[in-house]
Short mmCIF file of all heavy atoms in Angstrom, two decimals:
data_model
loop_
_atom_site.label_atom_id
_atom_site.label_comp_id
_atom_site.label_asym_id
_atom_site.label_seq_id
_atom_site.Cartn_x
_atom_site.Cartn_y
_atom_site.Cartn_z
N ARG A 1 -38.21 49.46 33.97
CA ARG A 1 -38.29 48.38 34.94
C ARG A 1 -37.63 47.12 34.38
O ARG A 1 -37.93 46.71 33.26
CB ARG A 1 -39.75 48.10 35.26
CG ARG A 1 -39.92 47.05 36.36
CD ARG A 1 -41.39 46.86 36.67
NE ARG A 1 -41.57 45.87 37.70
CZ ARG A 1 -42.76 45.48 38.15
NH1 ARG A 1 -43.85 46.05 37.64
NH2 ARG A 1 -42.86 44.57 39.08
N PRO A 2 -36.69 46.49 35.13
CA PRO A 2 -36.01 45.29 34.63
C PRO A 2 -37.00 44.16 34.37
O PRO A 2 -38.01 44.02 35.06
CB PRO A 2 -35.05 44.93 35.78
CG PRO A 2 -34.91 46.18 36.59
CD PRO A 2 -36.23 46.90 36.45
N ARG A 3 -36.68 43.36 33.39
CA ARG A 3 -37.48 42.19 33.07
C ARG A 3 -36.72 40.95 33.51
O ARG A 3 -35.55 40.79 33.15
CB ARG A 3 -37.77 42.12 31.58
CG ARG A 3 -38.73 40.98 31.22
CD ARG A 3 -39.07 41.02 29.75
NE ARG A 3 -37.96 40.60 28.93
CZ ARG A 3 -37.78 41.00 27.69
NH1 ARG A 3 -38.58 41.88 27.15
NH2 ARG A 3 -36.76 40.55 26.99
N HIS A 4 -37.31 40.10 34.28
CA HIS A 4 -36.64 38.92 34.80
C HIS A 4 -36.97 37.71 33.94
O HIS A 4 -38.10 37.52 33.50
CB HIS A 4 -37.07 38.64 36.24
CG HIS A 4 -36.66 39.73 37.18
ND1 HIS A 4 -35.51 39.67 37.93
CD2 HIS A 4 -37.22 40.93 37.46
CE1 HIS A 4 -35.41 40.76 38.66
NE2 HIS A 4 -36.43 41.55 38.39
N TYR A 5 -35.96 36.89 33.74
CA TYR A 5 -36.14 35.66 32.99
C TYR A 5 -36.02 34.50 33.98
O TYR A 5 -34.97 34.30 34.57
CB TYR A 5 -35.07 35.52 31.91
CG TYR A 5 -35.16 36.60 30.89
CD1 TYR A 5 -34.56 37.84 31.10
CD2 TYR A 5 -35.85 36.41 29.70
CE1 TYR A 5 -34.65 38.85 30.16
CE2 TYR A 5 -35.94 37.41 28.75
CZ TYR A 5 -35.34 38.61 28.99
OH TYR A 5 -35.41 39.61 28.05
N LYS A 6 -37.10 33.75 34.17
CA LYS A 6 -37.08 32.68 35.14
C LYS A 6 -37.61 31.40 34.51
O LYS A 6 -38.30 31.42 33.50
CB LYS A 6 -37.94 33.02 36.36
CG LYS A 6 -37.41 34.22 37.17
CD LYS A 6 -38.25 34.46 38.41
CE LYS A 6 -37.70 35.62 39.22
NZ LYS A 6 -38.52 35.86 40.44
N CYS A 7 -37.24 30.31 35.16
CA CYS A 7 -37.74 29.01 34.72
C CYS A 7 -39.16 28.84 35.25
O CYS A 7 -39.38 28.74 36.46
CB CYS A 7 -36.84 27.89 35.25
SG CYS A 7 -37.35 26.25 34.75
N ARG A 8 -40.14 28.82 34.37
CA ARG A 8 -41.53 28.65 34.78
C ARG A 8 -41.92 27.18 34.68
O ARG A 8 -41.67 26.54 33.67
CB ARG A 8 -42.44 29.50 33.91
CG ARG A 8 -42.17 31.00 34.03
CD ARG A 8 -43.14 31.77 33.19
NE ARG A 8 -42.91 33.20 33.33
CZ ARG A 8 -43.61 34.11 32.66
NH1 ARG A 8 -44.56 33.74 31.83
NH2 ARG A 8 -43.36 35.40 32.83
N ARG A 9 -42.57 26.72 35.72
CA ARG A 9 -42.98 25.32 35.72
C ARG A 9 -44.47 25.22 35.99
O ARG A 9 -45.02 25.91 36.85
CB ARG A 9 -42.21 24.53 36.78
CG ARG A 9 -40.71 24.44 36.50
CD ARG A 9 -40.03 23.51 37.46
NE ARG A 9 -40.04 24.03 38.82
CZ ARG A 9 -39.57 23.37 39.86
NH1 ARG A 9 -39.07 22.18 39.72
NH2 ARG A 9 -39.60 23.92 41.06
N LYS A 10 -45.10 24.37 35.26
CA LYS A 10 -46.54 24.16 35.44
C LYS A 10 -46.76 22.74 35.95
O LYS A 10 -46.23 21.78 35.38
CB LYS A 10 -47.28 24.36 34.12
CG LYS A 10 -48.80 24.27 34.26
CD LYS A 10 -49.44 24.59 32.92
CE LYS A 10 -50.96 24.53 33.04
NZ LYS A 10 -51.61 24.84 31.75
N VAL A 11 -47.52 22.60 37.05
CA VAL A 11 -47.72 21.29 37.65
C VAL A 11 -48.71 20.49 36.82
O VAL A 11 -49.80 20.97 36.49
CB VAL A 11 -48.25 21.44 39.11
CG1 VAL A 11 -48.52 20.07 39.71
CG2 VAL A 11 -47.24 22.21 39.94
N ARG A 12 -48.34 19.30 36.48
CA ARG A 12 -49.25 18.40 35.74
C ARG A 12 -49.45 17.13 36.57
O ARG A 12 -48.53 16.66 37.23
CB ARG A 12 -48.67 18.04 34.37
CG ARG A 12 -48.51 19.25 33.45
CD ARG A 12 -47.94 18.83 32.10
NE ARG A 12 -47.75 19.98 31.23
CZ ARG A 12 -48.69 20.49 30.44
NH1 ARG A 12 -49.89 19.95 30.42
NH2 ARG A 12 -48.43 21.54 29.68
N SER A 13 -50.59 16.58 36.46
CA SER A 13 -50.89 15.38 37.24
C SER A 13 -50.32 14.15 36.56
O SER A 13 -50.23 14.06 35.35
CB SER A 13 -52.41 15.23 37.38
OG SER A 13 -53.02 15.10 36.12
N ALA A 14 -49.91 13.21 37.41
CA ALA A 14 -49.46 11.89 36.96
C ALA A 14 -48.38 11.97 35.89
O ALA A 14 -48.45 11.30 34.87
CB ALA A 14 -50.66 11.08 36.44
N ALA A 15 -47.36 12.81 36.12
CA ALA A 15 -46.25 12.90 35.17
C ALA A 15 -45.44 11.62 35.20
O ALA A 15 -45.11 11.11 36.27
CB ALA A 15 -45.36 14.09 35.54
N ARG A 16 -45.14 11.09 34.07
CA ARG A 16 -44.37 9.86 33.99
C ARG A 16 -42.89 10.16 34.10
O ARG A 16 -42.42 11.20 33.64
CB ARG A 16 -44.67 9.15 32.67
CG ARG A 16 -46.14 8.74 32.55
CD ARG A 16 -46.44 8.19 31.18
NE ARG A 16 -47.85 7.85 31.06
CZ ARG A 16 -48.42 7.45 29.93
NH1 ARG A 16 -47.69 7.34 28.83
NH2 ARG A 16 -49.70 7.16 29.91
N PRO A 17 -42.10 9.24 34.67
CA PRO A 17 -40.66 9.49 34.86
C PRO A 17 -39.93 9.86 33.58
O PRO A 17 -39.11 10.76 33.56
CB PRO A 17 -40.15 8.17 35.44
CG PRO A 17 -41.37 7.57 36.11
CD PRO A 17 -42.53 7.98 35.27
N HIS A 18 -40.23 9.16 32.48
CA HIS A 18 -39.51 9.45 31.24
C HIS A 18 -39.87 10.83 30.70
O HIS A 18 -39.07 11.49 30.03
CB HIS A 18 -39.78 8.37 30.18
CG HIS A 18 -41.14 8.44 29.56
ND1 HIS A 18 -42.25 7.84 30.11
CD2 HIS A 18 -41.57 9.06 28.41
CE1 HIS A 18 -43.31 8.06 29.34
NE2 HIS A 18 -42.93 8.82 28.31
N GLN A 19 -41.10 11.32 31.00
CA GLN A 19 -41.49 12.65 30.57
C GLN A 19 -40.72 13.71 31.33
O GLN A 19 -40.29 14.72 30.77
CB GLN A 19 -42.99 12.85 30.77
CG GLN A 19 -43.85 12.00 29.85
CD GLN A 19 -45.32 12.15 30.15
OE1 GLN A 19 -45.72 12.29 31.31
NE2 GLN A 19 -46.15 12.12 29.12
N VAL A 20 -40.53 13.49 32.64
CA VAL A 20 -39.76 14.44 33.46
C VAL A 20 -38.33 14.53 32.96
O VAL A 20 -37.76 15.61 32.82
CB VAL A 20 -39.80 14.01 34.94
CG1 VAL A 20 -38.89 14.91 35.78
CG2 VAL A 20 -41.23 14.06 35.48
N VAL A 21 -37.73 13.38 32.69
CA VAL A 21 -36.35 13.36 32.18
C VAL A 21 -36.25 14.10 30.86
O VAL A 21 -35.32 14.89 30.64
CB VAL A 21 -35.86 11.91 32.03
CG1 VAL A 21 -34.52 11.88 31.32
CG2 VAL A 21 -35.76 11.25 33.40
N LEU A 22 -37.23 13.88 29.97
CA LEU A 22 -37.20 14.54 28.67
C LEU A 22 -37.32 16.04 28.81
O LEU A 22 -36.58 16.81 28.18
CB LEU A 22 -38.36 14.01 27.81
CG LEU A 22 -38.50 14.65 26.42
CD1 LEU A 22 -37.24 14.42 25.60
CD2 LEU A 22 -39.72 14.06 25.70
N VAL A 23 -38.23 16.51 29.66
CA VAL A 23 -38.41 17.95 29.85
C VAL A 23 -37.16 18.57 30.42
O VAL A 23 -36.70 19.62 29.96
CB VAL A 23 -39.62 18.22 30.77
CG1 VAL A 23 -39.67 19.69 31.17
CG2 VAL A 23 -40.92 17.83 30.08
N CYS A 24 -36.57 17.94 31.43
CA CYS A 24 -35.34 18.48 32.02
C CYS A 24 -34.21 18.50 31.02
O CYS A 24 -33.40 19.43 30.98
CB CYS A 24 -34.94 17.67 33.25
SG CYS A 24 -36.03 17.92 34.67
N GLY A 25 -34.12 17.45 30.19
CA GLY A 25 -33.07 17.40 29.19
C GLY A 25 -33.19 18.53 28.18
O GLY A 25 -32.21 19.17 27.83
N LEU A 26 -34.44 18.78 27.74
CA LEU A 26 -34.64 19.88 26.80
C LEU A 26 -34.33 21.22 27.44
O LEU A 26 -33.76 22.12 26.81
CB LEU A 26 -36.10 19.87 26.31
CG LEU A 26 -36.49 18.70 25.39
CD1 LEU A 26 -37.98 18.71 25.12
CD2 LEU A 26 -35.71 18.79 24.08
N ALA A 27 -34.68 21.37 28.71
CA ALA A 27 -34.38 22.62 29.41
C ALA A 27 -32.89 22.85 29.50
O ALA A 27 -32.40 23.97 29.31
CB ALA A 27 -34.99 22.60 30.81
N LEU A 28 -32.13 21.80 29.78
CA LEU A 28 -30.67 21.95 29.86
C LEU A 28 -30.09 22.33 28.52
O LEU A 28 -29.12 23.10 28.44
CB LEU A 28 -30.04 20.65 30.37
CG LEU A 28 -30.27 20.35 31.85
CD1 LEU A 28 -29.79 18.94 32.19
CD2 LEU A 28 -29.58 21.37 32.74
N LEU A 29 -30.65 21.80 27.44
CA LEU A 29 -30.14 22.12 26.12
C LEU A 29 -30.27 23.60 25.79
O LEU A 29 -29.46 24.16 25.05
CB LEU A 29 -30.86 21.29 25.05
CG LEU A 29 -30.46 19.82 24.96
CD1 LEU A 29 -31.35 19.09 23.96
CD2 LEU A 29 -28.99 19.67 24.59
N ILE A 30 -31.29 24.25 26.33
CA ILE A 30 -31.45 25.67 26.05
C ILE A 30 -30.88 26.52 27.18
O ILE A 30 -31.09 27.73 27.23
CB ILE A 30 -32.94 26.03 25.82
CG1 ILE A 30 -33.78 25.76 27.09
CG2 ILE A 30 -33.48 25.31 24.63
CD1 ILE A 30 -35.21 26.26 26.97
N GLY A 31 -30.14 25.90 28.10
CA GLY A 31 -29.43 26.67 29.11
C GLY A 31 -30.22 26.96 30.35
O GLY A 31 -29.83 27.79 31.17
N VAL A 32 -31.35 26.28 30.55
CA VAL A 32 -32.17 26.52 31.74
C VAL A 32 -32.42 25.18 32.41
O VAL A 32 -32.97 24.27 31.80
CB VAL A 32 -33.52 27.18 31.37
CG1 VAL A 32 -34.35 27.40 32.62
CG2 VAL A 32 -33.28 28.48 30.65
N GLY A 33 -32.04 25.05 33.67
CA GLY A 33 -32.24 23.81 34.38
C GLY A 33 -33.63 23.71 34.95
O GLY A 33 -34.41 24.65 34.94
N CYS A 34 -33.96 22.52 35.52
CA CYS A 34 -35.27 22.34 36.12
C CYS A 34 -35.33 22.95 37.50
O CYS A 34 -36.39 23.09 38.08
CB CYS A 34 -35.61 20.85 36.19
SG CYS A 34 -36.02 20.17 34.58
N GLY A 35 -34.17 23.31 38.08
CA GLY A 35 -34.14 23.98 39.37
C GLY A 35 -34.28 25.47 39.16
O GLY A 35 -34.89 25.94 38.21
N ASN A 36 -33.75 26.24 40.10
CA ASN A 36 -33.84 27.69 39.99
C ASN A 36 -32.84 28.20 38.97
O ASN A 36 -31.63 28.10 39.17
CB ASN A 36 -33.57 28.33 41.36
CG ASN A 36 -34.67 28.00 42.36
OD1 ASN A 36 -35.83 27.89 41.97
ND2 ASN A 36 -34.31 27.81 43.61
N ALA A 37 -33.31 28.74 37.87
CA ALA A 37 -32.43 29.27 36.83
C ALA A 37 -31.92 30.64 37.25
O ALA A 37 -32.62 31.38 37.95
CB ALA A 37 -33.19 29.39 35.52
N PRO A 38 -30.70 31.01 36.85
CA PRO A 38 -30.20 32.34 37.18
C PRO A 38 -31.03 33.41 36.49
O PRO A 38 -31.47 33.24 35.36
CB PRO A 38 -28.77 32.31 36.65
CG PRO A 38 -28.77 31.26 35.59
CD PRO A 38 -29.75 30.23 36.05
N ASP A 39 -31.25 34.50 37.18
CA ASP A 39 -32.03 35.60 36.63
C ASP A 39 -31.14 36.51 35.80
O ASP A 39 -30.19 37.10 36.32
CB ASP A 39 -32.68 36.42 37.75
CG ASP A 39 -33.86 35.70 38.37
OD1 ASP A 39 -34.41 34.80 37.72
OD2 ASP A 39 -34.23 36.04 39.51
N ILE A 40 -31.44 36.63 34.54
CA ILE A 40 -30.78 37.60 33.67
C ILE A 40 -31.74 38.78 33.53
O ILE A 40 -32.87 38.61 33.06
CB ILE A 40 -30.45 36.99 32.29
CG1 ILE A 40 -29.47 35.83 32.46
CG2 ILE A 40 -29.88 38.06 31.37
CD1 ILE A 40 -29.19 35.08 31.17
N GLU A 41 -31.31 39.93 33.94
CA GLU A 41 -32.16 41.11 33.94
C GLU A 41 -31.83 42.00 32.74
O GLU A 41 -30.66 42.21 32.43
CB GLU A 41 -31.98 41.90 35.22
CG GLU A 41 -32.31 41.10 36.48
CD GLU A 41 -32.00 41.87 37.74
OE1 GLU A 41 -32.81 42.71 38.15
OE2 GLU A 41 -30.90 41.66 38.29
N LYS A 42 -32.85 42.52 32.13
CA LYS A 42 -32.68 43.42 31.01
C LYS A 42 -32.87 44.86 31.47
O LYS A 42 -33.92 45.21 32.01
CB LYS A 42 -33.68 43.09 29.90
CG LYS A 42 -33.58 44.02 28.69
CD LYS A 42 -34.66 43.68 27.68
CE LYS A 42 -34.63 44.64 26.49
NZ LYS A 42 -35.72 44.35 25.53
N PHE A 43 -31.85 45.67 31.25
CA PHE A 43 -31.90 47.09 31.57
C PHE A 43 -31.86 47.88 30.27
O PHE A 43 -30.99 47.67 29.43
CB PHE A 43 -30.72 47.50 32.46
CG PHE A 43 -30.81 46.98 33.86
CD1 PHE A 43 -30.41 45.69 34.16
CD2 PHE A 43 -31.30 47.77 34.88
CE1 PHE A 43 -30.50 45.21 35.45
CE2 PHE A 43 -31.39 47.29 36.17
CZ PHE A 43 -30.99 46.01 36.46
N SER A 44 -32.81 48.78 30.12
CA SER A 44 -32.88 49.59 28.91
C SER A 44 -32.68 51.06 29.26
O SER A 44 -33.31 51.57 30.19
CB SER A 44 -34.25 49.42 28.22
OG SER A 44 -34.42 48.09 27.77
N LEU A 45 -31.83 51.72 28.50
CA LEU A 45 -31.58 53.15 28.66
C LEU A 45 -32.03 53.88 27.41
O LEU A 45 -32.00 53.31 26.31
CB LEU A 45 -30.10 53.41 28.92
CG LEU A 45 -29.53 52.90 30.24
CD1 LEU A 45 -28.01 53.07 30.27
CD2 LEU A 45 -30.16 53.63 31.41
N PRO A 46 -32.43 55.14 27.53
CA PRO A 46 -32.78 55.91 26.34
C PRO A 46 -31.58 56.04 25.41
O PRO A 46 -30.45 56.25 25.85
CB PRO A 46 -33.17 57.28 26.91
CG PRO A 46 -33.53 57.02 28.33
CD PRO A 46 -32.63 55.91 28.78
N GLY A 47 -31.82 55.88 24.12
CA GLY A 47 -30.76 56.01 23.13
C GLY A 47 -30.49 57.46 22.79
O GLY A 47 -30.91 58.39 23.49
#
């Protein structure tokens, strides 16, 4: 069964603007945006 890699977001109360910017910036650095990230699927076959 393929494994999907998605951007998971957890809702936090009273998030400050600078915290949102920092989180999004870190996400972009690792190749995942704050929006819908592309799904990379892993397919495994018997060796």
